[in-house]
Amino acid sequence: MQALLLPLRLVAWLGRQGTRAVAVSALLGLFLPQLSALFRPIVEEAIFVLLVLAFLRVDPAAVIAHVRKPRLVGLASLWMLVIVPGATALALSASGLIDDNPDLALAAFIVTAAPPIMSAPAFIALIGLDGALSLALVCVTMLLTPLTAPLIGGALIGDTLPIDAPALALRLALLLAASAGCAWIIRRVFGTVRVVAARQHIDGLNVLVLFVFAVAVMDGVAAQFASNPVLTLGIGALTFAVACAQMGLTWLVFSAVRKDHAFVLAHAAGNRNMGLLVAALGGSLPDLAWLYFGLGQLPIYLLPWILGPLARRAAAKAAMRDESHGVDGISR
């Protein structure tokens, strides 16, 4: 029994460290390239586990509440999947950068046209904000992406974009259904009370799975830094700038809603599931775009730790103010 309790306590301890542990896991991923070959074959399984944990971590009734009052989720989805990538395509086209830098157009496509990362609810839960809103947004945008991504890709890349929209839609729908079904079975077997009581253990498992994902997708980044540190640092800085720009613009656009909800939406907009579109593109990218994809994991893992305290303080003040005025943050 003691041998079993120790790992459980360690997992719970990781869960209590929250975003700090996730940030450390990303940095470890940079310095443990020897594990990449071990973890890369299980990236899809890691994504599936993260979704199951996300469905376990939030109250299903809260997710349904956001979907039944879809104004906020609908507007956020339109902003993320159509307006932001559409404006990016127009700006790059008008500047002539698409013709001169096709790799740049490809990187812009995967970082603006993708839905939020599937682990977004896990990060939001680790921060202590509304994981239900994040999960509802992930589900809706994942189902819409097969419709919007080919249109945006055509504008940015051209008619040669190799995305099979019906196949992608079916794959995403099955992924959502399977992960939600697994979470439902776990709740039925162990009971909702036990699942809620295991919140720290679920957070700890999120940290471990995010570490596996970080090591797998950042394969080659350390070697690239050794051979060309200036380029690597420049691309790394660019990934942070793009993530912060998308988050900041989204925060401003949705500034009228509750501040905790605005941060959830901003987090989703700034942290995109680039791997989904990389897979749709056949799993291969030019070297520069692949380097951006790998380094793009750093803001995903580090920004929640950096911005989390600010988000929690703003959310606490907004919640007190909204409660005193009887404001419903879901329907606004």
Side-chain angles (χ1 to χ4, degrees):
M1 180 63 70
Q2 291 296 324
L4 179 62
L5 287 177
L6 181 58
L8 290 176
R9 289 171 180 168
L10 288 175
V11 170
W13 177 82
L14 276 177
R16 289 193 295 272
Q17 305 315 304
T19 53
R20 291 189 298 272
V22 172
V24 171
S25 73
L27 297 177
L28 286 175
L30 281 172
F31 298 105
L32 295 174
Q34 62 272 21
L35 293 180
S36 295
L38 178 64
F39 290 158
R40 186 184 295 177
I42 59 173
V43 166
E44 291 185 7
E45 288 79 1
I47 292 173
F48 177 78
V49 172
L50 285 171
L51 266 181
V52 173
L53 294 174
F55 278 108
L56 278 177
R57 186 63 172 77
V58 303
D59 181 3
V63 177
I64 294 172
H66 285 293
V67 175
R68 285 181 175 174
K69 295 181 178 180
R71 182 182 176 189
L72 183 57
V73 173
L75 289 174
S77 300
L78 177 66
W79 165 256
M80 286 186 56
L81 298 182
V82 178
I83 297 176
V84 171
T88 302
L90 290 175
L92 291 178
S93 178
S95 65
L97 290 175
I98 291 181
D99 296 331
D100 298 335
N101 300 278
D103 287 5
L104 175 63
L106 187 57
F109 169 65
I110 65 174
V111 79
T112 62
I117 53 174
M118 294 182 186
S119 54
F123 282 106
I124 291 300
L126 290 171
I127 293 173
L129 300 185
D130 187 1
L133 174 58
S134 181
L135 183 56
L137 186 60
V138 167
C139 293
V140 171
T141 53
M142 281 181 64
L143 293 177
L144 292 176
T145 296
L147 303 176
T148 59
L151 298 176
I152 300 300
L156 274 169
I157 303 174
D159 297 333
T160 60
L161 185 69
I163 292 183
D164 185 341
L168 181 58
L170 178 61
R171 185 161 64 248
L172 293 178
L174 290 175
L175 179 62
L176 283 173
S179 55
C182 285
W184 179 82
I185 291 173
I186 293 172
R187 284 181 178 273
R188 292 285 294 179
V189 171
F190 293 98
T192 300
V193 174
R194 288 184 178 177
V195 170
V196 172
R199 176 177 59 85
Q200 291 181 349
H201 293 88
I202 294 173
D203 289 345
L205 288 174
N206 273 321
V207 172
L208 291 174
V209 179
L210 286 168
F211 167 70
V212 170
F213 185 81
V215 172
V217 300
M218 286 195 286
D219 181 34
V221 172
Q224 181 65 40
F225 178 78
S227 62
N228 197 337
V230 175
L231 175 64
T232 306
L233 289 174
I235 296 296
L238 180 62
T239 64
F240 276 92
V242 171
C244 289
Q246 292 195 91
M247 291 182 70
L249 285 173
T250 303
W251 176 272
L252 291 175
V253 168
F254 292 93
S255 60
V257 306
R258 270 176 43 174
K259 298 306 179 185
D260 54 342
H261 287 178
F263 183 85
V264 171
L265 301 181
H267 174 267
N271 298 279
R272 303 298 188 104
N273 188 359
M274 294 181 283
L276 181 67
L277 295 187
V278 170
L281 291 168
S284 61
L285 293 173
D287 291 341
L288 190 61
W290 183 266
L291 181 60
Y292 187 99
F293 170 54
L295 289 170
Q297 307 309 309
L298 292 178
I300 289 175
Y301 281 65
L302 295 178
L303 285 179
W305 171 56
I306 296 170
L307 300 177
L310 296 175
R312 284 189 289 269
R313 282 198 294 269
K317 293 179 181 179
M320 292 177 61
R321 183 174 63 250
D322 291 346
E323 184 178 354
S324 65
H325 290 84
V327 174
D328 180 1
I330 295 176
S331 58
R332 291 186 65 182

